[in-house]
Amino acid sequence: EKRGDFFVLTLTGDEHRLSPAAIADVLSSLREAKSQATRGSVLITTSQGRFFSNGLDLGWARSAGSRSEAAERLNHMVDSFRPIVAELISLPMPTVAVVQGHAAAAGFVLALCHDYVFMRSDRGVLYMSEVDLGIPLPDYFTVLFRAKIGSVSARRDALLRGTKIRGADAARLGIVDGVKGSEEELKDAGIRLAEQLAARKWDGEIYKVIRQSLYPELCGVLGLGVSKPVLSKL
């Protein structure tokens, strides 16, 4: 939904599992936002209900009927989700994730792809469930965690212990930019920051180039060429 300078991407449903259909919808929405971006554009991603996103749709994968077919479906979702990460890292505008519920596995990854992340202090956790489920991490998940979370011990605990990280701890570890005590306060914080960012009226292409230059390893894994900044305007 476009609201003035803001593109608001709202995950709807129950647990907001990232099924093939949901992945396609999110990717389409991001590409639509990119096509309409102007100076001052900002993306806000939020959700309805108790979950931000509970990750890839493992139920759909397991319903395939055999282990090999389930693995095929899971690999398909992993491959399909990669372009979403690439789009968020190359979006020509600032991005803000308003995480008002649980963000697990690919849902945690989805939140981390944004430039800024806000969380609830009274409910919701960040959780990488792969170690508990016995599922290996895709390469771009691992590289994203290295790029976005500076603390080695925080990465270790998230990925190797499956620690469920609550808002206050996520803020202390530098994983999120702030925590708020209610849904209303959380949304207000996200909107206030988005307004501040939109007011700067930055050149979106330059913003994208600078963002990508921060994460060269991630861009390499995602197949994104890091463009050289255009200096002709100087």
Side-chain angles (χ1 to χ4, degrees), residues 90-104:
S90 60
L91 208 61
M93 66 185 80
T95 58
V96 181
V98 177
V99 181
Q100 64 180 46
H102 302 300

